[in-house]
């Protein structure tokens, strides 16, 4: 398992709901955490490891042994409030960041790895942002498509460079 990078087609597809809460699900989720830490991220969605199921993981501390590790299976946002613009990036689009408008607070409903439904309210703007960003991945949506209009041209240029294999920042 490895993190796939833009323009990998897995990143642009809608992921399928999880139906079996089995050991394979738990094992694959366990494999995702070290990959996320290695890449210095605080959220990682299954399509980012070429696994097209509706699963993502979060640890806001972004470090093994710190914070809380959580897995969200078949998640949906059931309530949201406020808006806030902040700089965002993605482990699958290294070197590219841009300002994205998101709800500042969300309530999410998901299943845990045992198939038990839970609800969670975001505890910070960052937490709300990560939940929304990871949920977008399950629908094949990347943050770059949501960057505020004034920055879109620059983002499109960087993406084109990535597709063409030219390092971002060079001619
Ligand atoms: Co991402």
């Amino acid at each position: 398992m490895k993190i796939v990078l833009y323009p990998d087609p897995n990143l642009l597809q809608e992921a399928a709901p999880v139906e079996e809460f089995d050991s394979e699900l738990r094992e694959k989720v366990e494999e995702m955490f070290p990959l996320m830490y290695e890449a210095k991220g605080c959220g990682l969605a299954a399509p980012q490891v070429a696994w097209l199921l509706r699963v993502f993981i979060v640890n806001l501390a972004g470090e093994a042994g710190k914070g809380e590790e959580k897995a969200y299976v078949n998640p949906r946002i059931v309530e949201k409030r406020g808006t806030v613009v902040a700089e965002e990036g993605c482990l699958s689009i290294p070197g590219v960041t841009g300002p994205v408008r998101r709800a500042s607070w969300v309530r999410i409903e998901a299943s845990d790895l045992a198939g038990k439904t839970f609800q969670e309210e975001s505890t910070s703007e960052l937490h709300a942002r990560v939940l929304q960003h990871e949920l977008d991945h399950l629908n094949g949506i990347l943050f770059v498509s949501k960057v505020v209009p004034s920055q879109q041209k620059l983002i499109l240029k960087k993406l084109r460079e990535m597709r063409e294999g030219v390092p971002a920042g060079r001619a």
Side-chain angles (χ1 to χ4, degrees):
M1 189 186 272
K2 66 178 173 71
I3 296 177
V4 297
L5 303 181
Y6 180 88
D8 189 289
N10 286 291
L11 297 171
L12 301 174
Q13 292 193 46
E14 191 171 337
V18 170
E19 287 171 4
E20 306 279 350
F21 292 84
D22 53 13
S23 57
E24 192 196 340
L25 176 71
R26 290 191 296 276
E27 281 160 20
K28 290 192 92 160
V29 165
E30 280 309 307
E31 266 187 76
M32 286 172 68
F33 279 101
L35 287 180
M36 180 177 78
Y37 298 136
E38 197 184 333
K40 308 253 180 270
C42 55
L44 184 65
Q48 293 182 273
V49 293
W51 183 27
L52 284 171
L53 285 182
R54 303 188 75 78
V55 182
F56 67 73
I57 60 169
V58 171
N59 180 352
L60 290 179
E63 243 182 273
K66 281 193 183 172
E68 189 190 1
E69 293 187 341
K70 284 207 79 156
Y72 302 77
V73 182
N74 300 336
R76 62 190 187 99
I77 286 170
V78 291
E79 197 182 342
K80 55 171 124 181
R81 275 185 227 142
T83 59
V84 59
V85 175
E87 197 76 3
E88 215 164 291
C90 180
L91 296 183
S92 292
I93 318 176
V96 178
T97 62
V100 178
R101 184 183 304 277
R102 299 276 190 190
S104 55
W105 176 93
V106 297
R107 183 199 307 278
I108 194 165
E109 185 175 285
S111 295
D112 65 16
L113 293 173
K116 189 170 180 287
T117 304
F118 66 93
Q119 282 204 359
E120 180 182 85
E121 294 179 9
S122 59
T123 54
S124 65
E125 286 180 358
L126 174 68
H127 188 202
R129 180 168 298 274
V130 171
L131 294 173
Q132 291 168 87
H133 176 112
E134 301 311 330
L135 184 52
D136 273 353
H137 272 301
L138 307 186
N139 295 319
I141 296 168
L142 299 173
F143 86 93
V144 287
S145 69
K146 293 189 164 179
V147 163
V148 298
S150 64
Q151 297 295 309
Q152 274 168 7
K153 240 178 138 171
L154 180 63
I155 293 284
L156 288 175
K157 180 170 174 279
K158 286 182 177 169
L159 292 179
R160 191 174 62 241
E161 287 169 352
M162 279 191 86
R163 286 196 304 272
E164 290 167 0
V166 181
R170 296 219 211 137

